[in-house]
Amino acid sequence: MSADTTIRGGEVVLDGAPVRADIAITDGVVTAISRDRIDAPTVIDATGCLVLPGGVDAHVHLSGGGGPAGSETWADDWESGTRAAAAGGVTTVGNITVPLPGETLPDAVRRVAADVAAQSLVDVLLHPVVIDESHLDPAQLTDLRALGQTSIKIFTVLPAYASRRQQFYEFMAEAGRQGFLTVVHCEDGDLIGYCTTHLAHQGRADFRSYGESRPDTAEEAAVAQLIAFAETSGTPVYVVHLSSRRALAACAAARSRGVPVYVETRPLYLYLTEELLQHEDGAKYIGQPPLRRTDDVEALWAGMRFGTVDTVATDHAPWTLEQKLAAGDSLDELRPGVADLETVRPMLFSAGVATGRLSLARFVELTATNPARLFGLYPRKGVIAPGSDADLVVWDPAESRVIDGSRMQSRAGYSPYDGTVVTGWPREVVSRGELIVSGGEVIAKPGRGRLLQRGATAPR
Ligand SMILES: [Zn+2]
């Protein structure tokens, strides 16, 4: 058997179970997986390691060029953000793409595609954000499909959504008919406004009141409304960064009735709880929605185990520690989001797989296979199989590291998990057959990543 590259001697994770095998790669694609030895000019030794599909993180925010000052100003641009992704074993990222004032959804995709082509180290999908009624135009969906992008992002907290919900429903239903997945931030903006005003009257307007300003009932209410729409219309919807037991229970009940509602959670809600917001530096843990309680954490872990949580994505929206803390005095000016691309898989592997809390099969589904299916990339991404892109991670299950954001790739310069000891880390990472991380060092050049051409969403 001939190949240009082989990954030799690893425990290859196929259908969730590790199998000792060699992998043959030719022209960026997996051509064979064999228990027999495969020879090739380039050999990547995986002895003692797992070989996993490259991670698919469907939810990141990276800053782009081409916009006016002040737009999309997270700490990571496409280069530093995708460097962090590569270092963490993530070979595909899905970016929330915010149109500039007056810009159509397809034009936003074209603008950001230029950033991807210039800077990205890994492959990319884009979720353009429906901001206002100018975007509620079926012709824009047709153009997005021609650009290979088959998802849109909705924020239920935006004023346009609250005031024109029927039109948003019609647009989401049309998107569903065209094979799109609608990605939705679910919180009830009116309830949040009510809580925030009430807290302000009490003189409680800093980060310590953040949890009370966005209660789990606000998430549950928005999720219930979205489920009602999905159930009535048959439109597939994907709830981003679900944080609470109550909202998860609503989604699980809907799923059991056959409603096409899919659930993403993010690392913050799996490891941290609301008490941290009372610390002096509590503003550094601000994400949207806020940190919750221990019973919420337990519910999300159970959801990951039993399949009511479909994906773990980072919502990587990094700020520096100085930026986070400086914005802590006012609930209106907080900077939600943390850097997580480099830590998402090691943290989940360590807290889940290494402890026996999560099977290796579920780990791979949550971080690779399920997002690939839902976002129209399967089986090109998210699985190790002949014909799939050779996006592969040689994962050392025994490597122990202490998380230290000041030494990682994100320009955030800190991690909410600083000081945590984790077991399991990527050693080599291959993207479309090219070695992009070697011995834990990122060696890829910016601009090699591609904007992926996607198909219709497929149920996971
Ligand atoms: Zn987000």
Side-chain angles (χ1 to χ4, degrees):
M1 180 178 317
S2 71
D4 52 44
T5 300
T6 180
I7 298 183
R8 181 176 290 162
E11 298 283 332
V12 182
V13 179
L14 302 171
D15 292 328
V19 176
R20 170 65 61 86
D22 288 6
I23 299 174
I25 301 167
T26 299
D27 295 334
V29 171
V30 171
T31 50
I33 302 157
S34 172
R35 289 172 188 271
D36 299 328
R37 178 189 170 98
I38 295 172
D39 287 309
T42 301
V43 177
I44 298 171
D45 179 20
T47 307
C49 290
L50 296 167
V51 184
L52 307 174
V56 179
D57 180 349
H59 186 169
V60 307
H61 298 258
L62 301 177
S63 298
S71 67
E72 297 185 293
T73 50
W74 291 279
D76 283 326
D77 60 14
W78 281 91
E79 182 176 343
S80 63
T82 57
R83 190 174 288 280
V90 172
T91 50
T92 301
V93 297
N95 189 67
I96 307 298
T97 294
V98 183
L100 301 175
E103 196 174 44
T104 65
L105 304 178
D107 282 346
V109 164
R110 286 187 197 94
R111 171 174 52 83
V112 175
D115 296 330
V116 171
Q119 294 185 29
S120 188
L121 279 71
V122 302
D123 290 345
V124 173
L125 55 140
L126 299 176
H127 314 293
V129 181
V130 179
I131 299 281
D132 59 33
E133 57 267 36
S134 74
H135 298 134
L136 300 175
D137 164 15
Q140 293 189 33
L141 295 172
T142 309
D143 288 354
L144 287 174
R145 251 189 341 174
L147 293 164
Q149 302 310 305
T150 50
S151 53
I152 51 171
K153 173 83 186 272
I154 305 274
F155 288 85
T156 61
V157 288
L158 288 183
Y161 183 83
S163 62
R164 297 174 187 274
R165 204 157 62 214
Q166 183 185 336
Q167 284 166 271
F168 273 76
Y169 286 170
E170 285 162 5
F171 190 65
M172 289 191 276
E174 174 59 24
R177 285 190 288 272
Q178 294 202 27
F180 282 61
L181 184 59
T182 298
V183 173
V184 187
H185 175 126
C186 284
E187 288 183 291
D188 183 311
D190 292 331
L191 257 183
I192 292 169
Y194 165 81
C195 293
T196 306
T197 303
H198 186 67
L199 288 163
H201 286 151
Q202 297 179 330
R204 298 171 58 212
D206 77 357
F207 66 88
R208 290 178 188 81
S209 302
Y210 182 62
E212 280 177 78
S213 77
R214 306 180 88 97
D216 57 359
T217 46
E219 182 174 62
E220 184 187 28
V223 161
Q225 204 144 48
L226 183 70
I227 288 168
F229 162 70
E231 187 161 15
T232 304
S233 64
T235 301
V237 294
Y238 174 99
V239 180
V240 293
H241 53 49
L242 186 127
S243 65
S244 66
R245 178 180 57 80
R246 300 171 68 120
L248 180 60
C251 292
R255 267 287 265 287
S256 71
R257 300 193 299 273
V259 181
V261 54
Y262 301 100
V263 173
E264 168 196 291
T265 192
R266 71 194 282 209
L268 274 184
Y269 309 132
L270 301 176
Y271 312 112
L272 307 178
T273 48
E274 63 182 8
E275 301 78 47
L276 288 170
L277 291 178
Q278 303 311 315
H279 291 197
E280 199 178 348
D281 62 353
K284 75 180 183 188
Y285 302 106
I286 298 282
Q288 210 176 70
L291 297 179
R292 305 292 191 194
R293 291 170 298 275
T294 305
D295 63 325
D296 297 296
V297 173
E298 293 302 324
L300 291 170
W301 276 92
M304 290 195 297
R305 230 170 10 252
F306 299 122
T308 52
V309 172
D310 298 290
T311 70
V312 175
T314 58
D315 199 4
H316 181 98
W319 307 94
T320 66
L321 188 57
E322 295 68 35
Q323 287 175 318
K324 288 287 265 195
L325 299 182
D329 289 341
S330 162
L331 290 176
D332 297 329
E333 288 166 22
L334 295 177
R335 293 193 167 112
V338 298
D340 230 334
L341 268 164
E342 193 166 346
T343 42
V344 56
R345 296 188 100 193
M347 285 286 291
L348 191 64
F349 186 89
S350 184
V353 181
T355 62
R357 212 173 175 195
L358 200 65
S359 68
L360 187 57
R362 290 296 297 144
F363 173 80
V364 168
E365 285 170 14
L366 289 160
T367 61
T369 317
N370 287 349
R373 284 186 193 278
L374 289 167
F375 292 100
L377 293 169
Y378 185 88
R380 181 176 171 194
K381 305 289 191 188
V383 63
I384 303 175
S388 296
D389 280 359
D391 291 2
L392 301 161
V393 181
V394 177
W395 186 277
D396 185 344
E399 180 169 349
S400 180
R401 286 201 194 187
V402 180
I403 303 274
D404 177 359
S406 71
R407 301 179 58 179
M408 297 197 305
Q409 302 292 337
S410 170
R411 293 184 187 134
Y414 84 101
S415 164
Y417 319 113
D418 277 338
T420 305
V421 179
V422 299
T423 303
W425 205 273
R427 197 177 73 193
E428 268 77 40
V429 180
V430 172
S431 166
R432 282 182 278 99
E434 181 183 341
L435 191 63
I436 64 170
V437 173
S438 177
E441 295 295 313
V442 179
I443 58 171
K445 295 274 181 293
R448 64 163 300 285
R450 289 183 191 158
L451 181 63
L452 297 167
Q453 299 290 305
R454 300 147 60 194
T457 180
R460 66 151 197 95

